[in-house]
Amino acid sequence: MDLSEIVADIAAEMAEAPDRGTPADYIPALAGIDPQRFGIAIVEADGGCHLAGDAEESFSIQSISKVFALTLALGAVGDQLWRRVGREPSGTAFNSIVQLETEHGIPRNPFINAGAIVVADVLLGGYEPREAIGEMLRFVRALAGEDDIVIDAAVAQAEMETGHRNQALAHYMRAFGNLHHPVDRVLGVYFHFCALAMSCRQLALAGRYLMARGINPGTGRSVVSPQRARRINALMMSCGHYDGSGEFAFRVGLPGKSGVGGGILAIVPGRASIAVWSPGLNARGNSQLGTLALERLVQRTGWSVFDPQAG
């Protein structure tokens, strides 16, 4: 199986795809990104790296950062986190407030906005916001083994100015006692996490620990236990694409986490870490071409976790 040829073929097919989705227009810094952009990167367990398209172009990873924030929060407080955040698919839009009232301010999972805001509140414990943001940046740089990963200040500022729904979610959870720090401080941390900027190659490198039973192959050091890596992957499979998670599992069959910047991180346990990026989104806020590209990749490699030959 020639992965370099496969990713090159997929990139060529995506260049010709007529339905490219629409970039997230409610975040001004993302609205003007060219929907013709497409990148894909695969990093294998043995270190092989296969790139095509705009795989070296940096983009705002947005909600993909929730995977790394969850990893840090579990390291900080362990299973106590699950007293404040659930582990079930939401079945609603990523920024919905509907379930919070009936479920007493406990978000369904850490990958919807409300859940990630609680995770940010956990990570703020004992830190100033700037310190919590710096800790996340250091963590992601260490995972990828790259020091030029940055937080896009313009994107963070735009989100702070336009994130009214997130403010509503945070205030609502604060009213239920599920936020322990002032809303503006928590949201400052959350918005800066979302504004992490990475390339497909860097993102695939950062995700390697999830395909390697919690070990960072770049350093040989443990990031999380094998059990915790498995559980993070399980949450990515069931909740990583908001109310489109079932469709993504049906079409792709891999643990994955999307972001409204157009990126998707997907994991083939034991085999590969994959990142795709194309800024046009479908109706559920997930990358239109990114999803299609991963579907075609799985068809050609047999990498779905539901394929008996995937291991």
Side-chain angles (χ1 to χ4, degrees):
M1 184 167 58
D2 188 335
L3 285 175
S4 291
E5 181 178 347
I6 289 172
V7 298
D9 287 346
I10 289 173
E13 292 167 13
M14 296 304 103
E16 301 299 324
D19 184 2
R20 311 191 72 82
T22 304
D25 57 5
Y26 54 88
I27 302 175
L30 303 181
I33 299 177
D34 184 359
Q36 294 299 315
R37 298 291 192 187
F38 173 83
I40 181 170
I42 300 175
V43 177
E44 295 182 273
D46 63 6
C49 187
H50 309 275
L51 312 177
D54 300 305
E56 294 283 14
E57 182 166 338
S58 183
F59 63 93
S60 180
I61 71 169
Q62 290 292 308
S63 287
I64 302 172
S65 66
K66 294 171 183 174
V67 174
F68 307 123
L70 173 63
T71 302
L72 283 175
L74 288 171
V77 301
D79 287 345
Q80 293 181 34
L81 178 68
W82 306 123
R83 299 175 185 175
R84 298 176 59 188
V85 184
R87 300 190 295 267
E88 295 293 336
S90 67
T92 59
F94 59 87
N95 56 2
S96 173
I97 199 170
V98 173
Q99 290 167 333
L100 284 177
E101 181 171 10
T102 58
E103 297 178 0
H104 308 291
I106 305 295
R108 278 286 177 97
N109 65 71
F111 293 152
I112 56 174
N113 289 17
I117 290 168
V118 172
V119 168
D121 185 66
V122 169
L123 292 175
L124 192 52
Y127 288 103
E128 291 296 317
R130 186 180 297 275
E131 295 171 331
I133 294 163
E135 182 64 23
M136 168 65 95
L137 189 56
R138 285 189 293 272
F139 181 57
V140 174
R141 286 174 171 174
L143 290 175
E146 306 236 338
D147 291 333
D148 60 345
I149 296 170
V150 299
I151 290 174
D152 189 324
V155 172
Q157 183 63 34
E159 295 206 58
M160 286 189 283
E161 292 172 354
T162 61
H164 303 301
R165 281 179 179 257
N166 288 318
Q167 292 175 19
L169 293 169
H171 281 291
Y172 205 72
M173 291 186 293
R174 175 85 167 171
F176 276 103
N178 201 20
L179 284 193
H180 299 167
H181 298 88
V183 164
D184 60 337
R185 292 165 69 87
V186 177
L187 288 179
V189 170
Y190 171 75
F191 289 139
H192 279 81
F193 285 179
C194 289
L196 273 165
M198 303 170 70
S199 68
C200 288
R201 181 182 61 81
Q202 291 171 328
L203 182 56
L205 287 169
R208 290 175 296 176
Y209 72 104
L210 292 172
M211 62 111 165
R213 294 174 54 81
I215 301 293
N216 182 347
T219 63
R221 296 177 180 175
S222 175
V223 179
V224 294
S225 68
Q227 180 187 58
R228 188 161 285 168
R230 175 173 58 80
R231 287 179 167 174
I232 293 171
N233 277 321
L235 284 168
M236 290 170 70
M237 174 69 84
S238 62
C239 308
H241 281 71
Y242 314 119
D243 52 333
S245 297
E247 179 72 10
F248 186 81
F250 179 82
R251 292 177 57 184
V252 178
L254 292 175
K257 183 70 195 83
S258 67
V260 297
I264 301 174
L265 172 66
I267 304 298
V268 189
R271 299 291 296 271
S273 176
I274 308 162
V276 293
W277 171 61
S278 186
L281 308 179
N282 62 24
R284 290 175 172 172
N286 303 310
S287 176
Q288 176 81 9
L289 293 190
T291 303
L292 177 61
L294 287 169
E295 182 177 15
R296 293 188 180 180
L297 176 66
V298 166
Q299 289 171 350
R300 295 173 197 188
T301 60
W303 276 353
S304 166
V305 297
F306 304 112
D307 189 319
Q309 299 180 359

